[in-house]
Amino acid sequence: MPTDPRQVRSTAPAGRTPVEVAAVGETMVVLCPAPGEPLEDADRVAVSVGGAESNVAGYLARLGHQVTWVSRVGDDPFGRAVVRHVAAAGVQVDQVVVDPTAPTGLYLKDPGPEGTAVHYYRAGSAASRMDPGTLADPGLAGARVLHLSGITPALSASCRALVEHAVTARPLTGALVSFDVNHRARLWSAEQAAPVLRDLADRCDLVFVGQDEAQTLWGTTDPAAVRRLLPTPETVVVKDGAVGATTLRRDAEPVFVPAPRVTVVELVGAGDAFAAGYLAGLLRDLDPVRRLRLGHLMAAQALTSSGDNAPVPPWAWFEDLLAAPVEAWSPLDLTATPV
């Protein structure tokens, strides 16, 4: 297990801003027609940018942390748009490789009466060419947290090797390894993903998993059963959507914090926002309850906003709610409160 991330001092080369968090993964351009309009009938689409790991990075940066996004993009207009978008959130992007021979990934949203379908065009993308050497840059030295997700090992054999290298060889010395299970059924089936994601998660220090994912992958929604399936990590966080989330640490009793009520605008990105909030709480040395609260409050930002990246309130807004007594938090309803 690594040193506590708060005890790790940056050894970044002179001239570079030391990073607290390195987030690794693919970010794509998103094309979406007007709300409710099927893609096949659309004559115009909106262009945006989305990626789980860069979402986490962006939220952490807006919370005041030094974060770098590690990835590859194509040498094309979409790649330049992705890098510009991530950098605009305050994330360092000097670890992004521009690939002249592979395209930037793309996905399309297709609204329909039964929900929004997603169509990926990411096979052979620049990001799918990431490999274990991706983490060799000396600029990553001293990062306190390395954040990964279960999306990356589904992209290619070399990407899977990258994640295996990250969680086994621990190339970022002393960094806490954070892993969001993030199963994507469009990339690989539950049968394919279940053993791989369990093995990778069990080699990390901090794991985020939704109860719905745990049910799909491992046949259980019980946080204690998930903890038994993942005995090695120091901390496992099991999320139950609008109900709440449970932290299960190896050396302590489980801690459950209910989620505040919100008016949901869009579900996309809420898990990324939650992970960012929890990681920010860890970096700020908050106690387990406040880490979960900060995760919930960040998820509320995503749930009440359209798009993958929501605005973040001033820190004072969070402080008041993080310090609220239990009797004030439990019935917390943000539907009538500006978020």
Side-chain angles (χ1 to χ4, degrees):
M1 287 296 158
T3 308
D4 186 308
R6 296 186 303 277
Q7 299 173 351
V8 176
R9 296 184 179 180
S10 174
T11 55
R16 288 198 186 194
T17 303
V19 298
E20 294 178 275
V21 180
V24 184
E26 180 171 37
T27 293
M28 297 175 290
V29 162
V30 185
L31 302 183
C32 184
E37 184 177 16
L39 193 59
E40 65 185 69
D41 296 332
D43 56 6
R44 294 187 181 186
V45 294
V47 180
S48 60
V49 170
E53 300 84 3
S54 64
N55 285 345
V56 173
Y59 282 125
L60 279 166
R62 290 196 286 277
L63 283 168
H65 295 281
Q66 296 295 324
V67 190
T68 190
W69 173 54
V70 183
S71 191
R72 294 174 73 98
V73 298
D75 186 11
D76 51 41
F78 283 161
R80 290 187 285 275
V82 165
V83 173
R84 185 172 63 248
H85 173 89
V86 176
V91 177
Q92 297 179 34
V93 293
D94 57 345
Q95 306 291 339
V96 179
V97 173
V98 178
D99 190 326
T101 61
T104 303
L106 172 71
Y107 77 91
L108 294 85
K109 293 183 177 181
D110 188 10
E114 297 181 358
T116 299
V118 173
H119 303 278
Y120 288 128
Y121 294 86
R122 67 198 308 180
S125 70
S128 74
R129 296 183 174 186
M130 291 189 294
D131 60 27
T134 298
L135 296 176
D137 193 305
L140 297 174
R144 296 165 62 183
V145 175
L146 172 62
H147 181 69
L148 307 158
S149 91
I151 298 171
T152 303
L155 299 180
S156 66
S158 65
C159 281
R160 180 170 167 179
L162 159 64
V163 179
E164 290 176 342
H165 174 68
V167 304
T168 304
R170 301 298 182 103
L172 303 192
T173 304
L176 179 146
V177 178
S178 165
F179 186 80
D180 193 335
V181 170
N182 250 336
H183 173 236
R184 292 290 188 268
R186 295 299 300 270
L187 292 176
W188 50 352
S189 69
E191 291 74 21
Q192 292 173 306
V196 176
L197 293 178
R198 180 182 173 186
D199 176 65
L200 292 172
D202 196 44
R203 289 193 255 172
C204 297
D205 305 304
L206 168 62
V207 177
F208 300 98
V209 61
Q211 283 189 320
D212 54 344
E213 291 176 311
Q215 174 64 48
T216 299
L217 293 170
W218 306 315
T220 183
T221 60
D222 177 20
V226 175
R227 174 79 258 198
R228 289 192 294 271
L229 287 168
L230 303 173
T232 306
E234 175 65 28
T235 305
V236 175
V237 179
V238 181
K239 303 171 292 178
D240 187 11
V243 176
T246 303
T247 291
L248 301 104
R249 300 176 66 189
R250 286 206 319 263
D251 59 353
E253 291 297 311
V255 174
F256 172 79
V257 173
R261 288 181 289 279
V262 297
T263 299
V264 176
V265 174
E266 186 170 320
L267 293 171
V268 174
D272 304 330
F274 180 95
Y278 189 95
L279 287 170
L282 181 151
L283 291 165
R284 293 167 183 262
D285 199 23
L286 301 184
D287 62 64
V289 169
R290 285 174 170 79
R291 291 180 192 181
L292 288 174
R293 285 188 179 187
L294 187 51
H296 285 317
L297 291 172
M298 285 299 296
Q301 313 310 306
L303 290 167
T304 55
S305 177
S306 60
D308 280 10
N309 293 277
V312 175
W315 181 248
W317 182 87
F318 293 102
E319 281 187 318
D320 291 342
L321 293 172
L322 293 176
V326 173
E327 60 270 22
W329 175 271
S330 296
L332 186 62
D333 188 342
L334 298 177
T335 59
T337 304
V339 179

